[in-house]
Amino acid sequence: MLHCKHLLTPLSFKRKVVAVATPNNLTSINHRALLLPKLPGFLSMDDFTRSQPLPLASTAAKASQNNTIDPHPKYEDKKIKGRVVLMKKNVLDLNDLTASVLDRVDELVGKAVSLQLISSVNGDPEKGSPGKVGKPAYLENWITTITPLTAGDSAFDITFDWDEEIGVPGAFIIRNDHHSEFYLKTLTLEDVPGEGRIHFVCNSWVYPADKYKKDRIFFTNKTYLSSDTPKPLQKFREEELVNLRGDDDDKTRELQEWDRVYDYAYYNDLGNPDKGQEYARPVLGGSSEFPYPRRGRTGRPPTKTDPNTESQLKLIMSLNIYVPRDERFGPLKLSDLLAYGLKTIPQVLKPELAALLVGSHNEFNNMQEVLMLYEGGIELPDGILKYIRDSIHEELFKELFPTDGENFLKFPVPQVIQDNKSEWRTDEEFAREMLAGVNPVAIRRLQEFPPASKLDQKAYGDQTSQITKEHIEHNLKGLSIDEAIKNNKLFILDHHDALMPYLRRINTTSTKTYSSRTLLFLENDGTLKPLAIELSLPHPDGDQFGCISKVYTPSSQGVESSIWQLAKAYVNVNDSGHHQLISHWLKTHAVIEPFVIAANRQLSVLHPIHKLLHPHFRETMNANAIAREVLTNAGGIIEETVFPAKFSMEWSSVMYKNWVFPEQALPVDLIKRGMAVEDPKSSHSVRLLIEDYPYAADGLEIWSAIKTWVKEYCSFYYKNDEMVQNDSELQSWWKELREEGHGDKKDEPWWPKMQTCEELIESCTIIIWLSSAYHAAINYGQYSIGGYVPNRPSISLHFMPEEGTPEYEELKTNPDKAFLKTFAPQLQTLLGMASIEILSRHPVDELYLGQRGTPEWTTDANMLQASEDFRKKLEGIEKRIIKMNKDEKLKNRVGPAKIPYTLLYPSSEPGLTGKGIPNSVNI
């Protein structure tokens, strides 16, 4: 007899049927009454009446020996009450009805969700003394606990039969014998003898048991160094890391969504040679020519054309690329990505449909046409509407196109033109964005004149700047060049050396651009004034002959003014590419992923450093995996919208050769670029040479707050250097990170040896800084500043017009059209705007610096208080930033375009805000 009363109430059911089912009366449960449709993935009542019995869970099978299936057996001993909080399977915040029905059917036939407690104090001699495992207990009332309409929590009671030999539970095993996975959040036990309340923070997807080789195990929220782990839990701790490493896994198989394997691979999935050689790309990583950080392994098969290139997913499946399920985006964020991602539809349209979207020409005729993207949008033609309607779910189509496509491509007004539509053209705003824009990490102090090159003269000839004192000295307020350098008055935005070796190849694509140097003078009011711009091309006779350069100086009259505007735009093209590919992608997304992988492979969830860093690794692997499918891949959005085109990722690989981990610390970076000097008397031990440098001023406050928190945290667990040296998990993590994750740089002498507390504190501070504040400063202002493409173009299609040509005449008569023809092709503009709008948005479920997903992430009260102190310190920093933004003496904090510098505000609301520091690189 089946002793379970089940109230079947899927959300769309019209009737509620109470059925007491036994092996003899299953046929009496009416199929029609239950309203179970015979659809793929659903069980019909025919499935109940088939001749072969349904397979039973192992625990339920034991109970069936007495012809009784009882997933909730009763015992007479003391009981321990608990509560499990989980989220049932859902898709786009809507319940997966199939999963809901099948899980209820599983409960009917004895397939339940069971938990077994594991002792932290008593071992099991028969099993080599791992912690003693208690009897199974089962989630109660699964059928009558209704899943909410949107993604939400469900709470279940559970009752354990108390075994005194268990003593204090330190972990538990969970077995899911349902058809569907669920997201397990917490288990809380009440009134445990001798201990009281015990809390387990899980936050993990649990798939059906037949998907796993080993049982799933979760530990309490206590924190232990490896050597301090209670002996009964030690083996479980070690085995869990083995599972996450996939040590017993077939390295050649394709990993599936339920796999929990963290492993490494080269960037060999960017190209798609099966589509043609124009889509072939080199493998990044594993060679001295193209070194690169490692990515997460997916195990997809190779392409047919090239066995060294991993095959790609179809675009519609790109969100399903493998990463361990616990690294995947949550349902709220996923739905946001799908909705806003439809603005990038031009990328996936057939050529004829793309032509329908932009019309017969690919140009804006004037600035007003660009402004119409914010004021009216573009009405989608019928052909594109039909294409989209046929490609997505009907309900999603109705939600996204309530007016049948009218004004679909209407964009929010970027901050840079909200107050005034022309201030972006000013020299002051152009220069200010080098200190308070989205790439404030490239400018440096000029310490020699003329600016020199570090390129190999044998290969690239003389690359010394052609800027002379005649170009600039009259604008130095009476100072000589030497005096200006000595007084820290000259600065440079220098993209020359980084680009010149690739420029000849880049210009074989549709791109036509230059490498640039921009010299600036620091005025007495703290603002920067552009002095000269040098644009250079490789020598036509060969690289060994150097370059051909032309120098432009500011002008506000006639055609010279238009030429100066073009020169600034070419600089912005250089800076946009450097920003997107180097400052952003390489120095956050790419370099952080190996830290994520190594931490999950080598640091137990019980380890203090795992608990410290885990919030800063949230969703990074998923963001990177999707980026490889749609952004950085051959023919992807980056290649379409950023000037290096098909050489984009290859160029970032070459730039990785210059990456040095300790130099990612903000104070070290500022000193290296000459923007600050060491000064023990200053509040952060460094003194800025441009006092009104918003990124650096706010950044140093955030950096110091992070380091104070990390120091207090690490000092709580590591009392001396010897404890760092003897921490086996910590040492394994750091060794693997260097030798595997950043394997192409494993022999670099600058890696911290991880032998002292100070090395641990500095390294963790750098990791958190890069993942949170640095990424926020680089990413979340992209739409505010670059959403108006004329202000920050990322591609150029034509060289500077030469006198005597038709292009020069057009520049004289219609300078805006000439500008837009070069820097704002319509299709790429739409695609670029849509992309950076997505990248600049905060989802509803964002977690910001200082926040935790669960308040009980540790049992150590001192660390909970230190975490709260950190959060309050960040609130104080935010108030000081708000005050500085109102100080009219600090002209770089707002500027002519009236864009307050808010990128390092710790907090934010959801949406397109231009502020807020998320914990992690998750977009």
Side-chain angles (χ1 to χ4, degrees), residues 444-453 464-474 476 480-486 490-492 517-520 531-534 551:
R444 60 181 175 85
R445 181 163 52 91
L446 187 67
Q447 300 182 56
E448 59 182 350
F449 188 86
S453 170
T464 303
S465 173
Q466 299 302 302
I467 299 175
T468 67
K469 69 176 183 179
E470 286 76 20
H471 288 123
I472 66 171
E473 203 161 52
H474 61 285
L476 300 184
S480 68
I481 291 176
D482 288 342
E483 288 171 333
I485 289 175
K486 183 178 180 180
L490 288 180
F491 294 82
I492 184 170
R517 292 182 176 111
T518 305
L519 261 58
L520 306 107
L531 299 172
I533 291 172
E534 179 182 24
V551 178

Side-chain angles (χ1 to χ4, degrees), residues 559-705:
V559 69
E560 288 79 12
S561 173
S562 299
I563 289 173
W564 175 243
Q565 290 294 331
L566 292 182
K568 290 191 293 183
Y570 285 115
V571 171
N572 277 332
V573 168
N574 278 191
D575 200 57
S576 292
H578 181 274
H579 160 260
Q580 200 64 271
L581 291 165
I582 313 304
S583 303
H584 184 198
W585 168 259
L586 175 65
K587 292 189 174 182
T588 61
H589 289 264
V591 303
I592 285 296
E593 186 162 0
F595 289 90
V596 180
I597 299 171
N600 282 280
R601 287 168 55 87
Q602 300 295 345
L603 296 176
S604 165
V605 294
L606 293 167
H607 197 283
I609 301 304
H610 185 285
K611 294 192 178 198
L612 173 68
L613 296 180
H614 185 259
H616 307 289
F617 294 157
R618 180 178 184 242
E619 298 175 346
T620 298
M621 290 185 71
N622 202 178
N624 289 2
I626 293 175
R628 297 196 310 273
E629 293 293 305
V630 298
L631 286 176
T632 62
N633 59 308
I637 292 174
I638 291 292
E639 290 193 357
E640 290 294 321
T641 62
V642 180
F643 78 89
K646 70 177 184 179
F647 298 105
S648 292
M649 290 296 284
E650 186 177 324
W651 180 51
S652 76
S653 167
V654 172
M655 297 302 289
Y656 174 61
K657 295 178 182 180
N658 301 323
W659 183 80
V660 177
F661 176 72
E663 291 178 359
Q664 307 314 301
L666 178 60
V668 177
D669 170 64
L670 292 171
I671 291 170
K672 180 188 177 185
R673 290 190 285 118
M675 303 301 290
V677 293
E678 292 186 49
D679 184 356
K681 296 180 181 179
S682 296
S683 56
H684 308 293
S685 298
V686 295
R687 177 170 53 85
L688 294 176
L689 297 181
I690 299 179
E691 182 181 349
D692 186 14
Y693 182 0
Y695 161 75
D698 297 355
L700 286 170
E701 294 275 351
I702 301 292
W703 168 270
S704 295

Side-chain angles (χ1 to χ4, degrees), residues 195-262:
E195 190 73 12
R197 183 176 180 274
I198 298 179
H199 190 64
F200 299 79
V201 176
C202 307
N203 290 333
S204 180
W205 285 94
V206 178
Y207 276 76
D210 61 3
K211 300 296 186 185
Y212 298 126
K213 294 180 181 179
K214 300 287 181 67
D215 288 327
R216 293 298 310 276
I217 185 170
F218 294 94
F219 299 92
T220 65
N221 58 344
K222 291 185 178 181
T223 306
Y224 299 107
L225 296 175
S226 180
S227 58
D228 296 334
T229 308
K231 189 172 182 180
L233 297 179
Q234 188 68 48
K235 185 177 180 181
F236 292 103
R237 177 173 180 155
E238 293 169 357
E239 287 181 349
E240 176 69 356
L241 289 175
V242 169
N243 293 337
L244 293 171
R245 288 195 294 268
D247 288 354
D248 301 328
D249 192 58
D250 178 2
K251 302 289 185 181
T252 63
R253 75 177 181 92
E254 182 171 358
L255 294 167
Q256 304 299 316
E257 66 173 271
W258 52 82
D259 284 314
R260 305 174 59 236
V261 174
Y262 293 80

Side-chain angles (χ1 to χ4, degrees), residues 506-526:
I506 289 170
N507 283 337
T508 64
T509 69
S510 60
T511 294
K512 299 294 178 283
T513 198
Y514 306 88
S515 62
S516 66
R517 292 182 176 111
T518 305
L519 261 58
L520 306 107
F521 179 74
L522 180 63
E523 300 274 22
N524 291 334
D525 64 0

Side-chain angles (χ1 to χ4, degrees), residues 13 22 102 115 138 147 151 159 189 277 284 360 408 462 528 582 607 639 656 722 885 922:
F13 285 7
T22 72
L102 289 176
L115 283 73
Y138 299 85
T147 306
T159 304
L189 303 178
Q277 273 306 299
L284 304 185
S360 59
F408 171 63
D462 185 6
L528 290 172
I582 313 304
H607 197 283
E639 290 193 357
Y656 174 61
E722 188 178 6
N885 283 346
N922 61 11

Side-chain angles (χ1 to χ4, degrees), residues 373-392:
L373 294 174
Y374 317 105
E375 297 169 2
I378 294 178
E379 184 174 348
L380 289 181
D382 292 340
I384 290 182
L385 278 176
K386 183 179 186 304
Y387 178 84
I388 299 170
R389 184 182 284 112
D390 293 343
S391 302
I392 66 175

Side-chain angles (χ1 to χ4, degrees), residues 406-473:
E406 182 182 356
N407 298 340
F408 171 63
L409 289 179
K410 182 179 180 181
F411 289 87
V413 180
Q415 276 185 291
V416 72
I417 56 169
Q418 282 181 6
D419 186 76
N420 187 296
K421 291 182 173 59
S422 61
E423 290 293 340
W424 64 272
R425 297 178 186 262
T426 64
D427 288 357
E428 186 179 343
E429 181 61 29
F430 169 71
R432 188 194 76 92
E433 289 179 14
M434 299 178 196
L435 301 174
V438 291
N439 196 35
V441 294
I443 189 172
R444 60 181 175 85
R445 181 163 52 91
L446 187 67
Q447 300 182 56
E448 59 182 350
F449 188 86
S453 170
K454 295 181 180 179
L455 294 176
D456 182 359
Q457 285 206 16
K458 291 182 180 178
Y460 296 104
D462 185 6
Q463 297 281 339
T464 303
S465 173
Q466 299 302 302
I467 299 175
T468 67
K469 69 176 183 179
E470 286 76 20
H471 288 123
I472 66 171
E473 203 161 52

